[in-house]
Each structure stands twice: as structure tokens, then as C-alpha cells.
Amino acid sequence: MPKAHLGKIAVLAFTGLLCLSACSAGIPEAGESDAPVPSAGEYLPLLAQPQSDEDKLPEGFEDTESYDAETRHLLATSDFGRHYVAVGSEGQLCMVAIPKPTEEDGDYEIAGTTCPTMDYVVQNGVPLKVDGGENSLKIVTYLMPAGVSDVTVKNSISGLRAEHPELEAEDIQVVAENDSVLLVMEDSTARALGTITINRPGGDPLVLASLT
């Protein structure tokens, strides 16, 4: 399981800006496979598209050498934050999550980054946890591997909701944007759910990496 690396808040003395400090994730070795592993751009075509204004990081955040800034794109927005993808410095698929402020008009203050290798991504997707700052949410995000539809994820989450009637509808969000499916929630919700299994029709279940 890849370890998520948190962006640290770096308050610059004269500007007050926030700095995104991203690191490559430590990734376990993937199992052997004869199937060719796609590049990040082949796996997620959004990465090869021209950037637009919406792909910019929030004001005060800066890119690092962990990924190619020219490939950074906004993958999706959720009720819990903003979710970006980019090609890693060694060809990985990087995901950057910036949790939503707890106050309606608050500022984004921290980010988390992980850069799993493509062989890991193909099999497991991209898990990422961001602990949040003093005034932002603590979130858990899963980018599903290719072939897992939003309907499949929603069906599995419906089963989990039945087991946890205390959860509200807004506690878990499934977002389908840019040929991808994201499962996003607060850390407290992930802890309550425990092991999350996505039951794929006609395939082996996908057990999401535990981040709690």
C-alpha cells in the first residue's frame, strides 16, 4: 500500500502564502504480470490535454519536483475538496488532494500528494489520505482503477450504508468525472466503515487500502 505524504503548511514570512510540499510515495513491489503496464497518460488521457485555468492550484500553493507541473490537471471537485492528477517525475500517476476549508469562506491551507507506480495503480487505484490543517477537513480519497464504474462503487457503498445507518447521505461521495471515479469521505467516516470492499460484477472484489 502506498503511503500518503502530506503537504506541509509553509507560511512565508512576507507573503503569507501557503506552499505545497509534495513527496513521492513509498510503494510496495507489485506482483509479477505479463500484461503491459500503460503509461500514466495512456491510463488517464486527461493528463495529455492542454491545461486550462481550472487546472491551477488554489492561490498560494506551488508545485514541486515530485511531478511535472505542465501535466497537472483538476480531475474533480467534491464536497470535501479539490482533486488533481499529474505525471510523476518517474512516470507515476500522482494525485494531489486539497481538503475543503471547514468555514464557508475559509482559505485552502494544506495538501496531500501520493505517486504510486503504474503497476500499482492498474491493480489498486490511488488511495490518499490528507490529515488537514487547523481549519480544513481530514479526508480520504480513492481513485478507482480502470474498469470500476461509479454504479459499481455506489452499489457497494449502499451495502455499507445499510450496515452503518448512523451515516448521513452526505458523508460519502462518489464522483465520476474525466473518465475516472473517485470515492471521497472524511477520515472519521472511513474509520467508521473499516474495510471497504468494492464488489465488481464478474470480477474479484476490490479491497481498498486501509488509510486509517
Side-chain angles (χ1 to χ4, degrees), residues 147-153 155-156 198-206:
V148 178
S149 71
D150 59 323
V151 174
T152 294
V153 177
N155 287 341
S156 295
I198 305 300
N199 296 309
R200 294 182 278 198
D204 294 332
L206 171 65

Side-chain angles (χ1 to χ4, degrees), residues 5-7 20 57 61 80-85 94-100 108 110-114 128-131 139-141 184:
H5 290 255
L6 300 180
L20 173 63
L57 297 173
F61 285 88
F80 302 94
R82 298 171 65 85
H83 312 274
Y84 299 83
V85 287
C94 295
M95 185 162 65
V96 180
I98 304 181
K100 186 177 180 179
Y108 291 98
I110 199 166
T113 303
T114 189
L128 175 60
K129 174 184 174 181
V130 186
D131 281 339
I139 67 172
V140 169
T141 300
V184 194

Side-chain angles (χ1 to χ4, degrees), residues 27-149:
I27 308 298
E29 294 182 5
E32 294 183 3
S33 174
D34 294 331
V37 178
S39 67
E42 292 170 339
Y43 186 82
L44 195 58
L46 174 67
L47 294 168
Q49 295 181 11
Q51 288 178 309
S52 65
D53 286 343
E54 73 172 5
D55 297 319
K56 295 179 180 178
L57 297 173
E59 183 177 357
F61 285 88
E62 299 176 356
D63 294 298
T64 73
E65 296 180 355
S66 296
Y67 58 84
D68 180 356
E70 294 185 358
T71 66
R72 178 194 4 90
H73 285 80
L74 178 64
L75 181 66
T77 57
S78 72
D79 294 339
F80 302 94
R82 298 171 65 85
H83 312 274
Y84 299 83
V85 287
V87 178
S89 57
E90 298 180 0
Q92 320 98 302
L93 176 55
C94 295
M95 185 162 65
V96 180
I98 304 181
K100 186 177 180 179
T102 53
E103 298 293 333
E104 183 175 351
D105 297 324
D107 295 326
Y108 291 98
E109 61 177 350
I110 199 166
T113 303
T114 189
C115 295
T117 58
M118 286 309 303
D119 49 1
Y120 184 92
V121 173
V122 168
Q123 296 180 35
N124 305 283
V126 184
L128 175 60
K129 174 184 174 181
V130 186
D131 281 339
E134 293 183 0
N135 301 298
S136 58
L137 301 177
K138 298 179 180 180
I139 67 172
V140 169
T141 300
Y142 293 98
L143 171 60
M144 296 293 139
V148 178
S149 71

Side-chain angles (χ1 to χ4, degrees), residues 3-27:
K3 296 180 180 179
H5 290 255
L6 300 180
K8 297 180 179 179
I9 300 177
V11 182
L12 305 184
F14 299 103
T15 64
L17 297 181
L18 303 179
C19 174
L20 173 63
S21 178
C23 302
S24 297
I27 308 298

